[in-house]
Amino acid sequence: MAITTTAPVLAPRSQVAAGTVAIVAPCGGFAHADAFARQGWRTVAVRPDAGHRPSALAAAPGPGRCTDSVEHRGSLRQTVKALRGLGVSDVVAGSAAGVELAERIAWQLGLPQGDPETSRLRYDRGAQAAALARAGIDAPRGIRSAHLAEVLAWAGSCPLPGYVLAPAAAGTPVDPVACDGANRIDTAWPVMRRALARYAHDAHLVLTERLPARQFVVNSVSRPGADGRPDHVVTDVWAERRSGDGSLDRTDLLHRHEPLARVLSAYMMRVLDVLGVMRGPVTARVAHDEDRGPLLVSALAVPGISPADEALRRATGYDRVTDVLDTWIPPVPAPPAPGQAAHRIVRVHLHRGSGEDAAPGAGRILRRLPTVVAVGPDLPGYAPVMSAARSVEVVLSSADPEAVEADYRIVRALECEGVPGAVRP
């Protein structure tokens, strides 16, 4: 039975005994490796060979900052042998494409983080919805299929005001598409299949009902309890706000005592059990419908690294990377860091433009705003471009909520002026 707490709590800080972590199928840079290395851990990249990896992973950089690299050539036994020889004591997925292999490797190393036979539940939208429905937990109506005719037949038998077409694998950098009916589904299907082929060998897509509801990001961490059953803790809940065109505007940290945060946390406790999460982090996207309550959109068992992590640690005492590592290595006890109850954190999303001329000095002004504590690495003039992210994240943090809102308005004004590389098209 999972912990039944109904609010995010502060995770205890600790000094973790350093070890060696294998990052399976890393994609989009090496933020995971850098984060673990800062905690004193040795890192090993596990990269599937050309015959076992999507083309996007084939184009990814080499071992990067990882200490070592192991190529997975299809033989689990050989890969596990190599990792055991390197003293690997932890295994994490570096992308949705690495979840199944990471769980198989961990199981063989005696570090079970989930039954490899049910790995799909930790990253596949369609499998997750079906499992929740079987457990009597409401989930968006939909179908998971690799065949357009089957999807169109389902849409015809289940007429709805709107649909959303998305890759079955959560975390894949292919945007969902809103569809009003069969014609739009028929048009979007081949385009999404071609885009998805770069990131996953699994060609399944999901068509679900379009939810007229607010969406939230719910982060959690799980570890085996004293009785061997997993204990789940929701660590932070973020509310998304979107612009009139549907693009992501800002993401606000909810205080753990807010009623909606409690409702979402209680819901996720049930979901994590159904999805078979045993150990490690999960990032979930949850919609909240006024009539139906929380509805899981997707869940992904991959460590989430964000420019907002340091602001989160300073505001709440919660250290995301340390807590993930604590699920594997017993930590050295340390007193918890105090949280700041009224602290406001806002993640502002600046959408990448198409090369418009930027106002001179706009980026420099943005970085000097009083509440700006972090800027994503994709803002030119701040750091080298590290990924093909669709938006640049600017993190605002302060104990003064009015100061945060004032800087938020300035950021949006600067965006209209032309922040370099982050101009709304």
Side-chain angles (χ1 to χ4, degrees), residues 270-287:
R270 301 173 62 200
V271 168
L272 292 167
D273 274 342
V274 172
L275 301 186
V277 176
M278 296 292 296
R279 179 174 275 164
V282 169
T283 295
R285 184 174 297 279
V286 182

Side-chain angles (χ1 to χ4, degrees), residues 275-372:
L275 301 186
V277 176
M278 296 292 296
R279 179 174 275 164
V282 169
T283 295
R285 184 174 297 279
V286 182
H288 186 269
D289 186 274
E290 292 297 330
D291 297 322
R292 297 166 65 183
L295 298 163
L296 181 71
V297 177
S298 64
L300 181 61
V302 174
I305 306 298
S306 162
D309 288 347
E310 179 60 20
L312 182 68
R313 186 189 67 78
R314 291 180 180 275
T316 67
Y318 173 65
D319 187 310
R320 188 183 308 282
V321 176
T322 297
D323 206 34
V324 169
L325 297 180
D326 283 358
T327 66
W328 297 99
I329 301 297
V332 177
Q340 302 172 31
H343 211 93
R344 177 71 60 85
I345 303 176
V346 174
R347 298 159 65 179
V348 186
H349 306 276
L350 304 179
H351 296 268
R352 299 177 70 85
S354 54
E356 297 92 335
D357 291 335
R364 183 172 63 254
I365 295 171
L366 182 152
R367 291 191 292 272
R368 291 179 177 177
L369 292 175
T371 70
V372 171

Side-chain angles (χ1 to χ4, degrees), residues 236-257:
D236 45 299
V237 180
W238 302 79
E240 292 187 346
R241 298 188 192 179
R242 294 189 174 269
S243 302
D245 62 359
S247 60
L248 188 58
D249 176 9
R250 56 187 276 180
T251 309
D252 292 45
L253 178 69
L254 294 186
H255 190 274
R256 65 184 184 278
H257 293 313

Side-chain angles (χ1 to χ4, degrees), residues 20-102:
T20 300
V21 57
I23 304 173
V24 181
C27 185
F30 279 80
H32 299 120
D34 292 343
F36 292 144
R38 286 194 294 269
Q39 301 292 329
W41 277 58
R42 182 183 178 200
T43 53
V44 179
V46 179
R47 293 172 52 82
D49 66 11
H52 297 87
R53 69 187 180 210
S55 61
L57 288 182
R65 296 181 183 273
C66 287
T67 308
D68 291 290
S69 181
V70 169
E71 186 177 53
H72 174 68
R73 300 177 180 178
S75 169
L76 181 63
R77 184 177 65 84
Q78 291 296 328
T79 300
V80 169
K81 180 180 179 181
L83 294 177
R84 188 175 282 122
L86 291 171
V88 165
S89 52
D90 189 2
V91 181
V92 300
S95 63
V99 172
E100 291 195 37
L101 179 57

